[in-house]
Amino acid sequence: MVLKLMEFYLNNKILGIVVFLFLTLFSCKNKDKAIEEPTKKIVEYDMYQPSEMAGFMNAMYAYNQQLKAQIVAGETPARLPLDLLKLHSAEMTDGKSRTENWQSFVNVFIESQEAIVDTLSNIELKERYNAAINNCLNCHKTECTGPIPKIKKLLIQ
Ligand code: HEC
């Protein structure tokens, strides 16, 4: 009985650590912690509060995951339910701002994401899709490197 309880506790602890690692690995918030004052640090460890932009990025991730599945299955996606102009207005995590690099990548990205659902395009669908994902990566190389491994998984080989 005691052993069973201990086992359960350990398993949960490991699960907790895995979840924590996952959150820190795939978010770029952790990099900023070093320059933040200690009081704020504690609050951030207690609960992960994604910014409006982080939330939107995760929605874009989920949407592209769905596009990938459709394209691999031979379907032609025609819907873009996200308002990409939010990239220009969404609030970012404290300390982050729209840098010159951001500005140089954002519109190219928006155009490439829109091109995926352009059913009249004569460029191959997979090529248009991968171009958009590569534009996610281009911006992330300078703006937020944490999610890069996760975004790479969206590419269609
Ligand atoms: C123009 C630059 C730019 C483009 C393009 C871009 N991102 Fe981001 N991304 C960022 C920045 C900056 C953040 C950090 C936002 C914040 O913390 O407020 C971010 C955060 C993220 C996060 C982490 C969210 C979290 O929970 O902290 C993921 C995942 C992500 N982006 C995926 C994507 C995907 C997928 C695409 C393409 C469909 C994409 N990004 C396109 C700049 C970009």
Side-chain angles (χ1 to χ4, degrees):
M1 181 65 195
V2 175
L3 245 157
K4 268 253 144 55
L5 263 172
M6 264 179 72
E7 211 180 281
F8 178 76
Y9 175 72
L10 269 171
N11 276 338
N12 264 320
K13 226 177 148 179
I14 290 164
L15 195 79
I17 291 167
V18 169
V19 169
F20 176 78
L21 277 178
F22 188 82
L23 282 176
T24 41
L25 265 178
F26 291 141
S27 130
C28 46
K29 282 186 95 173
N30 48 334
K31 280 199 309 298
D32 292 330
K33 277 180 186 149
I35 47 166
E36 275 166 10
E37 59 272 67
T39 44
K40 223 170 156 189
K41 225 167 165 179
I42 294 162
V43 177
E44 283 213 349
Y45 280 128
D46 276 350
M47 46 187 253
Y48 173 69
Q49 263 285 6
S51 65
E52 189 187 357
M53 184 65 85
F56 189 68
M57 288 285 166
N58 284 320
M60 289 206 298
Y61 185 86
Y63 169 65
N64 280 291
Q65 225 171 7
Q66 198 189 316
L67 286 184
K68 178 179 178 179
Q70 281 183 296
I71 295 169
V72 168
E75 291 165 29
T76 306
R79 262 171 44 84
L80 174 52
L82 297 169
D83 178 9
L84 296 180
L85 294 181
K86 273 220 175 103
L87 289 169
H88 292 302
S89 65
E91 241 176 87
M92 298 168 95
T93 304
D94 287 351
K96 281 197 193 300
S97 59
R98 289 172 179 78
T99 61
E100 240 172 80
N101 256 318
W102 164 284
Q103 302 291 3
S104 67
F105 288 124
V106 67
N107 289 321
V108 180
F109 164 72
I110 291 176
E111 274 174 37
S112 64
Q113 181 79 76
E114 284 171 349
I116 301 173
V117 292
D118 176 4
T119 48
L120 298 176
S121 170
N122 44 24
I123 301 168
E124 199 204 340
L125 181 56
K126 177 182 150 184
E127 201 179 305
R128 274 179 280 146
Y129 171 83
N130 279 340
I133 302 304
N134 277 317
N135 283 328
C136 306
L137 290 167
N138 283 338
C139 187
H140 272 264
K141 263 177 216 150
T142 59
E143 299 307 300
C144 165
T145 51
I148 287 178
K150 187 176 156 178
I151 300 174
K152 276 193 176 150
K153 290 199 190 125
L154 288 174
L155 288 167
I156 300 176
Q157 299 306 322

